[in-house]
Amino acid sequence: MAEDLHIVQGDKATMYTALIPQIKGLLEGEPDLVANLANTAAALKEQFGWFWVGFYLVKHDELVLGPFQGPVACTRIRKGRGVCGTSWAEARTLIVPDVEKFPGHIACSSLSRSEIVVPLIHNNTVVGVLDVDSAELDSFDTTDQQFLEAIVALIPWS
Ligand code: SME
């Protein structure tokens, strides 16, 4: 497909609904994981303008920073630590309306105020997480959860 993203205005569901076929187009026929994670992070950042969008991948029992869009970030997170490590340990999406109220939150940037972390699950195992940070409080809800879970399920894992 053409590499220009078509940005849509409207409510969240409208924006996600327009974005998903474009992400499918970016992933289609491309088996390389880094390329696919990089374009998925870029597409989400471009459509929504969030502060930070990126992936951490499970490597040797740690989460290691993968492709992302936004300011530099922490490189390694242990299982059960922070929002990302908790999402990994519990194999579920976590929505954090106010990061200061999440015990053990890892502040890669003091500008991050709310966060959603979605696990990437392959063969019933968490292989990484998608982490999205917002500079505003309470940016994420179950609509984000539903669509972001659908988006990470599109990423081929081999
Ligand atoms: N806040 C995350 C760490 C990753 S950065 O936000 C990019 C956490 O608590 O796991």
Side-chain angles (χ1 to χ4, degrees):
M1 67 172 273
E3 275 83 18
D4 284 342
L5 206 65
H6 174 57
I7 301 299
V8 166
Q9 306 299 327
D11 62 15
K12 272 182 189 179
T14 303
M15 291 194 274
Y16 280 114
T17 302
L19 188 62
I20 283 179
Q22 298 187 78
I23 291 179
K24 274 187 189 160
L26 289 165
L27 301 177
E28 197 177 312
E30 178 50 72
D32 188 87
L33 181 64
V34 170
N36 288 333
L37 297 179
N39 260 342
T40 302
L44 288 167
K45 178 87 161 87
E46 200 176 339
Q47 171 65 65
F48 291 99
W50 290 312
F51 178 68
W52 196 93
V53 181
F55 293 92
Y56 283 88
L57 299 176
V58 175
K59 293 183 181 173
H60 306 297
D61 222 34
E62 276 185 316
L63 286 171
V64 181
L65 184 63
F68 70 95
Q69 294 272 315
V72 295
C74 324
T75 52
R76 289 173 188 271
I77 298 173
R78 284 200 255 142
K79 198 170 192 174
R81 297 293 175 90
V83 187
C84 292
T86 305
S87 170
W88 173 21
E90 297 182 2
R92 66 183 181 97
T93 296
L94 294 179
I95 296 170
V96 180
D98 180 349
V99 295
E100 287 181 13
K101 294 190 177 142
F102 186 93
H105 169 256
I106 300 165
C108 292
S109 166
S110 59
L111 296 176
S112 173
R113 308 291 301 282
S114 59
E115 184 164 358
I116 183 169
V117 178
V118 178
L120 313 185
I121 297 174
H122 180 64
N123 289 342
N124 290 320
T125 302
V126 178
V127 290
V129 298
L130 167 65
D131 180 16
V132 183
D133 287 49
S134 167
E136 317 285 327
L137 286 171
D138 203 13
S139 288
F140 306 106
D141 56 26
T142 52
T143 300
D144 298 284
Q145 174 174 358
Q146 177 198 326
F147 282 104
L148 292 174
E149 286 175 355
I151 288 170
V152 300
L154 297 173
I155 299 168
W157 201 277
S158 51

PDB file of all heavy atoms in Angstrom, residues 52 56 73-74 77 81-85 102 104-109 112 115 117 131 133, ligand 1:
ATOM      1  N   TRP A  52       3.762   8.725  23.913  1.00  0.00           N
ATOM      2  CA  TRP A  52       4.724   7.632  23.646  1.00  0.00           C
ATOM      3  C   TRP A  52       3.933   6.385  23.246  1.00  0.00           C
ATOM      4  O   TRP A  52       2.945   6.033  23.896  1.00  0.00           O
ATOM      5  CB  TRP A  52       5.552   7.354  24.908  1.00  0.00           C
ATOM      6  CG  TRP A  52       6.795   6.552  24.695  1.00  0.00           C
ATOM      7  CD1 TRP A  52       8.051   7.050  24.464  1.00  0.00           C
ATOM      8  CD2 TRP A  52       6.938   5.116  24.725  1.00  0.00           C
ATOM      9  NE1 TRP A  52       8.949   6.018  24.339  1.00  0.00           N
ATOM     10  CE2 TRP A  52       8.298   4.822  24.490  1.00  0.00           C
ATOM     11  CE3 TRP A  52       6.054   4.058  24.913  1.00  0.00           C
ATOM     12  CZ2 TRP A  52       8.794   3.518  24.449  1.00  0.00           C
ATOM     13  CZ3 TRP A  52       6.542   2.755  24.860  1.00  0.00           C
ATOM     14  CH2 TRP A  52       7.894   2.499  24.639  1.00  0.00           C
ATOM     15  N   TYR A  56       7.598  -3.438  24.041  1.00  0.00           N
ATOM     16  CA  TYR A  56       8.660  -4.130  24.779  1.00  0.00           C
ATOM     17  C   TYR A  56       8.510  -5.617  24.456  1.00  0.00           C
ATOM     18  O   TYR A  56       7.387  -6.130  24.413  1.00  0.00           O
ATOM     19  CB  TYR A  56       8.515  -3.917  26.290  1.00  0.00           C
ATOM     20  CG  TYR A  56       8.969  -2.555  26.758  1.00  0.00           C
ATOM     21  CD1 TYR A  56       8.102  -1.472  26.782  1.00  0.00           C
ATOM     22  CD2 TYR A  56      10.282  -2.345  27.189  1.00  0.00           C
ATOM     23  CE1 TYR A  56       8.522  -0.213  27.213  1.00  0.00           C
ATOM     24  CE2 TYR A  56      10.707  -1.092  27.627  1.00  0.00           C
ATOM     25  CZ  TYR A  56       9.825  -0.042  27.635  1.00  0.00           C
ATOM     26  OH  TYR A  56      10.257   1.186  28.059  1.00  0.00           O
ATOM     27  N   ALA A  73      13.331   5.941  26.221  1.00  0.00           N
ATOM     28  CA  ALA A  73      12.612   5.262  27.307  1.00  0.00           C
ATOM     29  C   ALA A  73      13.506   4.246  27.995  1.00  0.00           C
ATOM     30  O   ALA A  73      14.594   3.910  27.506  1.00  0.00           O
ATOM     31  CB  ALA A  73      11.382   4.566  26.729  1.00  0.00           C
ATOM     32  N   CYS A  74      13.011   3.738  29.135  1.00  0.00           N
ATOM     33  CA  CYS A  74      13.708   2.685  29.883  1.00  0.00           C
ATOM     34  C   CYS A  74      13.909   1.482  28.953  1.00  0.00           C
ATOM     35  O   CYS A  74      13.000   1.141  28.195  1.00  0.00           O
ATOM     36  CB  CYS A  74      12.856   2.202  31.047  1.00  0.00           C
ATOM     37  SG  CYS A  74      11.886   3.478  31.842  1.00  0.00           S
ATOM     38  N   ILE A  77      12.687  -3.992  31.669  1.00  0.00           N
ATOM     39  CA  ILE A  77      11.691  -4.026  32.744  1.00  0.00           C
ATOM     40  C   ILE A  77      11.522  -5.476  33.177  1.00  0.00           C
ATOM     41  O   ILE A  77      11.310  -6.366  32.346  1.00  0.00           O
ATOM     42  CB  ILE A  77      10.336  -3.457  32.250  1.00  0.00           C
ATOM     43  CG1 ILE A  77      10.489  -1.987  31.829  1.00  0.00           C
ATOM     44  CG2 ILE A  77       9.265  -3.609  33.319  1.00  0.00           C
ATOM     45  CD1 ILE A  77       9.264  -1.381  31.166  1.00  0.00           C
ATOM     46  N   ARG A  81       7.143  -5.833  37.360  1.00  0.00           N
ATOM     47  CA  ARG A  81       7.520  -4.454  37.698  1.00  0.00           C
ATOM     48  C   ARG A  81       6.790  -3.465  36.802  1.00  0.00           C
ATOM     49  O   ARG A  81       6.671  -3.686  35.584  1.00  0.00           O
ATOM     50  CB  ARG A  81       9.031  -4.245  37.512  1.00  0.00           C
ATOM     51  CG  ARG A  81       9.891  -5.085  38.421  1.00  0.00           C
ATOM     52  CD  ARG A  81       9.697  -4.645  39.877  1.00  0.00           C
ATOM     53  NE  ARG A  81      10.416  -5.520  40.792  1.00  0.00           N
ATOM     54  CZ  ARG A  81      11.676  -5.321  41.174  1.00  0.00           C
ATOM     55  NH1 ARG A  81      12.356  -4.303  40.720  1.00  0.00           N
ATOM     56  NH2 ARG A  81      12.242  -6.162  42.024  1.00  0.00           N
ATOM     57  N   GLY A  82       6.358  -2.361  37.389  1.00  0.00           N
ATOM     58  CA  GLY A  82       5.715  -1.311  36.616  1.00  0.00           C
ATOM     59  C   GLY A  82       4.429  -1.805  35.961  1.00  0.00           C
ATOM     60  O   GLY A  82       3.956  -2.915  36.219  1.00  0.00           O
ATOM     61  N   VAL A  83       3.873  -0.962  35.123  1.00  0.00           N
ATOM     62  CA  VAL A  83       2.626  -1.328  34.444  1.00  0.00           C
ATOM     63  C   VAL A  83       2.915  -2.416  33.410  1.00  0.00           C
ATOM     64  O   VAL A  83       2.182  -3.398  33.277  1.00  0.00           O
ATOM     65  CB  VAL A  83       1.986  -0.093  33.766  1.00  0.00           C
ATOM     66  CG1 VAL A  83       0.611  -0.459  33.223  1.00  0.00           C
ATOM     67  CG2 VAL A  83       1.859   1.082  34.741  1.00  0.00           C
ATOM     68  N   CYS A  84       4.032  -2.249  32.693  1.00  0.00           N
ATOM     69  CA  CYS A  84       4.369  -3.212  31.635  1.00  0.00           C
ATOM     70  C   CYS A  84       4.644  -4.595  32.212  1.00  0.00           C
ATOM     71  O   CYS A  84       4.125  -5.608  31.723  1.00  0.00           O
ATOM     72  CB  CYS A  84       5.581  -2.724  30.845  1.00  0.00           C
ATOM     73  SG  CYS A  84       5.250  -1.250  29.858  1.00  0.00           S
ATOM     74  N   GLY A  85       5.473  -4.638  33.261  1.00  0.00           N
ATOM     75  CA  GLY A  85       5.829  -5.929  33.852  1.00  0.00           C
ATOM     76  C   GLY A  85       4.647  -6.601  34.526  1.00  0.00           C
ATOM     77  O   GLY A  85       4.576  -7.832  34.603  1.00  0.00           O
ATOM     78  N   PHE A 102      -0.529   4.325  40.489  1.00  0.00           N
ATOM     79  CA  PHE A 102      -0.247   2.905  40.240  1.00  0.00           C
ATOM     80  C   PHE A 102       1.009   2.535  41.016  1.00  0.00           C
ATOM     81  O   PHE A 102       2.104   3.018  40.721  1.00  0.00           O
ATOM     82  CB  PHE A 102      -0.038   2.660  38.745  1.00  0.00           C
ATOM     83  CG  PHE A 102       0.114   1.197  38.400  1.00  0.00           C
ATOM     84  CD1 PHE A 102      -0.990   0.438  38.030  1.00  0.00           C
ATOM     85  CD2 PHE A 102       1.360   0.564  38.460  1.00  0.00           C
ATOM     86  CE1 PHE A 102      -0.857  -0.912  37.724  1.00  0.00           C
ATOM     87  CE2 PHE A 102       1.500  -0.784  38.160  1.00  0.00           C
ATOM     88  CZ  PHE A 102       0.383  -1.521  37.783  1.00  0.00           C
ATOM     89  N   GLY A 104       4.345   1.237  42.004  1.00  0.00           N
ATOM     90  CA  GLY A 104       5.461   0.664  41.257  1.00  0.00           C
ATOM     91  C   GLY A 104       5.561   1.141  39.823  1.00  0.00           C
ATOM     92  O   GLY A 104       6.398   0.647  39.064  1.00  0.00           O
ATOM     93  N   HIS A 105       4.722   2.098  39.457  1.00  0.00           N
ATOM     94  CA  HIS A 105       4.811   2.645  38.092  1.00  0.00           C
ATOM     95  C   HIS A 105       6.253   3.089  37.806  1.00  0.00           C
ATOM     96  O   HIS A 105       6.903   3.710  38.639  1.00  0.00           O
ATOM     97  CB  HIS A 105       3.868   3.843  37.951  1.00  0.00           C
ATOM     98  CG  HIS A 105       4.080   4.612  36.690  1.00  0.00           C
ATOM     99  ND1 HIS A 105       4.731   5.831  36.661  1.00  0.00           N
ATOM    100  CD2 HIS A 105       3.753   4.320  35.414  1.00  0.00           C
ATOM    101  CE1 HIS A 105       4.778   6.251  35.414  1.00  0.00           C
ATOM    102  NE2 HIS A 105       4.193   5.365  34.639  1.00  0.00           N
ATOM    103  N   ILE A 106       6.734   2.753  36.610  1.00  0.00           N
ATOM    104  CA  ILE A 106       8.097   3.140  36.224  1.00  0.00           C
ATOM    105  C   ILE A 106       7.982   4.406  35.387  1.00  0.00           C
ATOM    106  O   ILE A 106       7.406   4.389  34.289  1.00  0.00           O
ATOM    107  CB  ILE A 106       8.774   2.016  35.419  1.00  0.00           C
ATOM    108  CG1 ILE A 106       8.861   0.741  36.267  1.00  0.00           C
ATOM    109  CG2 ILE A 106      10.158   2.450  34.952  1.00  0.00           C
ATOM    110  CD1 ILE A 106       9.171  -0.517  35.470  1.00  0.00           C
ATOM    111  N   ALA A 107       8.510   5.501  35.916  1.00  0.00           N
ATOM    112  CA  ALA A 107       8.391   6.790  35.219  1.00  0.00           C
ATOM    113  C   ALA A 107       9.569   6.985  34.279  1.00  0.00           C
ATOM    114  O   ALA A 107      10.618   7.485  34.662  1.00  0.00           O
ATOM    115  CB  ALA A 107       8.317   7.919  36.238  1.00  0.00           C
ATOM    116  N   CYS A 108       9.392   6.543  33.037  1.00  0.00           N
ATOM    117  CA  CYS A 108      10.429   6.816  32.027  1.00  0.00           C
ATOM    118  C   CYS A 108      10.448   8.305  31.739  1.00  0.00           C
ATOM    119  O   CYS A 108      11.471   8.871  31.409  1.00  0.00           O
ATOM    120  CB  CYS A 108      10.146   6.056  30.735  1.00  0.00           C
ATOM    121  SG  CYS A 108      10.317   4.283  30.922  1.00  0.00           S
ATOM    122  N   SER A 109       9.281   8.958  31.839  1.00  0.00           N
ATOM    123  CA  SER A 109       9.197  10.405  31.658  1.00  0.00           C
ATOM    124  C   SER A 109       8.212  10.961  32.664  1.00  0.00           C
ATOM    125  O   SER A 109       7.135  10.389  32.865  1.00  0.00           O
ATOM    126  CB  SER A 109       8.719  10.756  30.252  1.00  0.00           C
ATOM    127  OG  SER A 109       8.342  12.128  30.227  1.00  0.00           O
ATOM    128  N   SER A 112       4.484  11.715  31.413  1.00  0.00           N
ATOM    129  CA  SER A 112       3.444  10.706  31.206  1.00  0.00           C
ATOM    130  C   SER A 112       2.460  10.735  32.374  1.00  0.00           C
ATOM    131  O   SER A 112       2.853  10.693  33.534  1.00  0.00           O
ATOM    132  CB  SER A 112       4.097   9.329  31.095  1.00  0.00           C
ATOM    133  OG  SER A 112       3.093   8.356  31.061  1.00  0.00           O
ATOM    134  N   GLU A 115      -1.834   5.723  31.123  1.00  0.00           N
ATOM    135  CA  GLU A 115      -1.152   4.682  30.352  1.00  0.00           C
ATOM    136  C   GLU A 115      -2.086   3.496  30.107  1.00  0.00           C
ATOM    137  O   GLU A 115      -2.962   3.207  30.921  1.00  0.00           O
ATOM    138  CB  GLU A 115       0.067   4.241  31.188  1.00  0.00           C
ATOM    139  CG  GLU A 115       0.973   3.242  30.561  1.00  0.00           C
ATOM    140  CD  GLU A 115       2.336   3.170  31.295  1.00  0.00           C
ATOM    141  OE1 GLU A 115       2.547   3.932  32.264  1.00  0.00           O
ATOM    142  OE2 GLU A 115       3.165   2.360  30.908  1.00  0.00           O
ATOM    143  N   VAL A 117      -1.462  -0.647  28.773  1.00  0.00           N
ATOM    144  CA  VAL A 117      -0.508  -1.668  28.336  1.00  0.00           C
ATOM    145  C   VAL A 117      -1.284  -2.916  27.923  1.00  0.00           C
ATOM    146  O   VAL A 117      -2.118  -3.420  28.682  1.00  0.00           O
ATOM    147  CB  VAL A 117       0.513  -2.000  29.441  1.00  0.00           C
ATOM    148  CG1 VAL A 117       1.473  -3.096  28.969  1.00  0.00           C
ATOM    149  CG2 VAL A 117       1.308  -0.759  29.830  1.00  0.00           C
ATOM    150  N   ASP A 131       2.823  -0.610  24.812  1.00  0.00           N
ATOM    151  CA  ASP A 131       2.682   0.384  25.875  1.00  0.00           C
ATOM    152  C   ASP A 131       2.339   1.725  25.228  1.00  0.00           C
ATOM    153  O   ASP A 131       3.035   2.163  24.311  1.00  0.00           O
ATOM    154  CB  ASP A 131       4.006   0.480  26.647  1.00  0.00           C
ATOM    155  CG  ASP A 131       3.950   1.484  27.782  1.00  0.00           C
ATOM    156  OD1 ASP A 131       2.852   1.892  28.186  1.00  0.00           O
ATOM    157  OD2 ASP A 131       5.037   1.870  28.273  1.00  0.00           O
ATOM    158  N   ASP A 133       1.478   5.752  26.275  1.00  0.00           N
ATOM    159  CA  ASP A 133       1.485   6.750  27.347  1.00  0.00           C
ATOM    160  C   ASP A 133       0.872   8.046  26.835  1.00  0.00           C
ATOM    161  O   ASP A 133       1.136   8.451  25.695  1.00  0.00           O
ATOM    162  CB  ASP A 133       2.927   7.077  27.767  1.00  0.00           C
ATOM    163  CG  ASP A 133       3.571   5.961  28.546  1.00  0.00           C
ATOM    164  OD1 ASP A 133       3.493   4.815  28.092  1.00  0.00           O
ATOM    165  OD2 ASP A 133       4.154   6.253  29.591  1.00  0.00           O
TER     166      ASP A 133
HETATM  167  N1  SME B   1       5.587   3.335  32.553  1.00  0.00           N
HETATM  168  C1  SME B   1       5.967   1.996  32.156  1.00  0.00           C
HETATM  169  C2  SME B   1       7.406   1.949  31.698  1.00  0.00           C
HETATM  170  C3  SME B   1       7.594   2.124  30.248  1.00  0.00           C
HETATM  171  S1  SME B   1       7.533   3.719  29.749  1.00  0.00           S
HETATM  172  O1  SME B   1       6.279   4.349  30.138  1.00  0.00           O
HETATM  173  C4  SME B   1       7.800   3.875  28.118  1.00  0.00           C
HETATM  174  C5  SME B   1       5.722   1.025  33.300  1.00  0.00           C
HETATM  175  O2  SME B   1       5.417   1.434  34.419  1.00  0.00           O
HETATM  176  O3  SME B   1       5.852  -0.169  33.060  1.00  0.00           O
END
